[in-house]
Amino acid sequence: MTPEDAIVGTAERIAELLGAGADPRTPLPGAEWTVGEAAAHLALAGKLMADIGAGEERPYGDGTPSGLAAANRAALDAFPQRDPAILGAEITDGARAFVAAAAVRGPHEAVLTPMGPMDLATLGSYLLTHLLGHGYDIAVALRGPHMVERDVVAFTLPFMRQAMPRVVNSGAAGHRACYLLRIGRDRFAVDFANGVPTVTDTPPRRPDCTIAIDPVAFLLLALGRCTIPSVMARAKVVVWGRKPWLGLRFPTLFTAP
């Protein structure tokens, strides 16, 4: 599987859920949106990212979680379509349009996105992460199979790594610690100095805490779709090191984008 396969395949699975007689008024568990609103948001975001991938400038929010939320609300207010089947087709069209545009320009071309500058390969990772997060919500609301699976989570990590410094919250103020994350076969380090994280392939110093976590659990936890106790209860995470208790604190240092 390639990242492009993951993007289009995830969009198609969301469209299948939406096209199977979904009620757009169904509320999303733990969220303010309905299925129709979440699908509309995915359709709008897919068009936005496809346009950025094609070289258009599309300002959207200020790159912070609160700024993106405000931009999302404004965009939904201006877009009344809520038919699940129509939106499912638009979600798939947006994913395919992005993949086609990115193939023409190349993975290393720089673009400006709602989460700051990144290359097209990382923007593709961003799009996939976005589809998986909201697709998971839709699947849970409709009691259908979700699409967050181990083999696609690896393709979200380029975006997750780049986004970490942008979504640090006030709880990280003054924090100093070096973490090594082991997510399936992937490894990377997050080193906090005075509350500011630096993400690198390898730890710049001896890690204070190593976190080995199931890939699906990592993504759902990072996106705020599950809790630390639930991950621990299902034995999806193991922590060790000089300060293993920091493993419990790590997820609380960030606000889900």
Side-chain angles (χ1 to χ4, degrees), residues 2-3 25 27 36 71 84 90 100 116-117 125 127 139 147 162 169 172 174 200 217 234:
T2 66
R25 298 166 298 180
E90 292 188 12
S125 178
L127 174 56
M147 58 295 301
Q162 184 158 332
N169 59 40
T200 54
R234 291 181 287 124

Side-chain angles (χ1 to χ4, degrees), residues 112-137:
L112 184 60
T113 81
M115 290 289 286
M118 59 186 71
D119 61 30
L120 273 173
T122 307
L123 178 58
S125 178
Y126 182 5
L127 174 56
L128 176 61
T129 304
H130 192 256
L131 286 166
L132 289 169
H134 292 294
Y136 177 85
D137 295 339

Side-chain angles (χ1 to χ4, degrees), residues 30-98:
E32 297 180 358
W33 283 355
T34 63
V35 164
E37 289 167 333
H41 172 63
L42 282 179
L44 289 168
K47 177 66 165 58
L48 171 72
M49 294 194 188
D51 288 346
I52 293 172
E56 297 184 29
E57 292 189 9
R58 292 285 307 273
Y60 194 85
D62 61 7
T64 65
S66 60
L68 291 174
N72 291 339
R73 287 192 297 269
L76 279 177
D77 288 343
F79 182 65
Q81 180 60 258
R82 297 294 184 269
D83 184 293
I86 293 174
L87 292 170
E90 292 188 12
I91 291 166
T92 304
D93 288 346
R96 290 172 176 161
F98 172 81

Side-chain angles (χ1 to χ4, degrees), residues 64-66 115 163-164 166-171 221-224 250-257:
T64 65
S66 60
M115 290 289 286
M164 278 184 175
R166 283 184 166 268
V167 298
V168 171
N169 59 40
S170 59
L221 183 60
L223 296 180
F250 183 79
T252 71
L253 303 173
F254 306 93
T255 298

